[in-house]
Amino acid sequence: MTEAHFKATVLTLYPEMFPGPLGVSLAGDALARGLWALETRNIRDHGIGRHRAVDDTPAGGGPGMVLRCDVIAAALDAAVAPDDPRPRLLMSPRGHPLTQARVRSLASGPGVIVLCGRFEGVDERVIAGRSLQEVSIGDYVLSGGEIPAMVLLDACVRLLPGVMGKDASGAEESFEGGLLEYPHFTRPREWEGRAIPDVLLSGDHGAIARWRRAEAERITRERRPDLLAFSS
Ligand code: SAH
């Protein structure tokens, strides 16, 4: 087996969550075929003292706990060589929102190093001191960075060469042309009084393409006008 081009290293307090959903279907098959590689590192291994403490109370007071900068740095330094070219990402609701364009750019690179936060988050100093890029999967707050890491990895892996079969580019999917995707239909031809649109059964590829384009534009206008605002 050739060595995977895309290598993910995930730092987490819960390595047992991986591969989890990434171990089945498209991503799992690709993992088994060596199209990508996944390594987990347990942050706890770098915890302090007999209890392997990884967190402490927030300076300035307030609720919750904060992951210690020295512990996170030790975990990163043990997992990642200084010349490792992979971007170092911290899953964080404060981060740049993850987009299909970012996913595509990450998927075309050597892989990612992903730090999963927990509790209130991570001491700010290690974000700066290890040049971590904060990435958000959306405007809501989860209890940990593991599911966001899986979201990011799943999105990347399906774009890797050889993973998606003949639709390898995914070029017609939502977001790729700045639009949401057109509707899909399959057999049966009629179901509960609802028919597949005639044009899709016409065999006229030009007409089908025009219909799909128009539907994609209509759906995008209705649901996500913000996407249209950026395209000319
Ligand atoms: N106190 C933080 C939230 C901490 S949630 C704040 O208000 O910003 C605990 C961890 O879950 C975070 O450190 C992060 O790793 C992860 N997380 C939660 N929501 C996320 C999101 N929308 N995107 C990416 N990571 C998220």
Side-chain angles (χ1 to χ4, degrees):
M1 201 180 292
T2 55
E3 212 189 323
H5 293 305
F6 187 91
K7 190 173 166 195
T9 298
V10 178
L11 289 85
T12 168
L13 284 168
Y14 300 97
E16 66 273 21
M17 287 177 75
F18 293 85
L22 300 176
V24 302
S25 192
L26 209 65
D29 293 345
L31 189 58
R33 285 159 61 206
L35 297 177
W36 68 293
L38 174 65
E39 167 192 50
T40 53
R41 297 295 187 112
N42 195 339
I43 296 168
R44 185 75 59 189
D45 293 345
H46 302 274
I48 289 168
R50 199 159 52 88
H51 296 292
R52 298 232 163 266
V54 296
D55 56 341
D56 211 328
T57 53
M65 299 294 273
V66 176
L67 286 166
R68 291 178 58 122
C69 50
D70 49 359
V71 171
I72 296 299
L76 277 166
D77 295 347
V80 183
D83 62 346
D84 194 313
R86 295 174 295 167
R88 290 183 290 269
L89 310 179
L90 167 62
M91 303 318 296
S92 160
R94 290 189 331 190
H96 283 288
L98 186 63
T99 60
Q100 190 66 14
R102 182 80 182 278
V103 166
R104 208 165 256 293
S105 144
L106 290 172
S108 68
V112 285
I113 295 148
V114 187
L115 174 61
C116 304
R118 278 274 158 182
F119 320 122
E120 287 308 315
V122 178
D123 188 309
E124 190 70 23
R125 292 169 293 178
V126 75
I127 301 175
R130 291 295 179 278
S131 308
L132 305 181
Q133 303 171 29
E134 293 181 68
V135 178
S136 168
I137 65 157
D139 293 344
Y140 39 78
V141 181
L142 303 169
S143 54
E146 287 78 11
I147 291 172
M150 290 173 193
V151 167
L152 180 141
L153 291 176
D154 184 274
C156 290
V157 164
R158 59 194 291 288
L159 295 182
L160 298 176
V163 171
M164 263 204 298
K166 75 174 171 22
D167 186 21
S169 75
E172 291 200 355
E173 285 179 326
S174 289
F175 308 114
E176 289 294 351
L179 295 175
L180 302 178
E181 203 184 40
Y182 51 79
H184 295 291
F185 300 88
T186 185
R187 281 180 275 273
R189 189 168 180 153
E190 195 176 314
W191 175 77
E192 294 190 350
R194 296 165 193 269
I196 296 177
D198 286 336
V199 60
L200 296 180
L201 307 170
S202 68
D204 180 341
H205 296 298
I208 292 170
R210 284 191 297 279
W211 182 87
R212 285 178 167 168
R213 172 83 197 181
E215 283 293 284
E217 286 173 1
R218 178 184 63 79
I219 290 169
T220 308
R221 210 177 307 115
E222 283 172 14
R223 300 180 188 178
R224 294 292 304 277
D226 57 303
L227 293 177
L228 294 172
F230 292 105
S231 57
S232 47

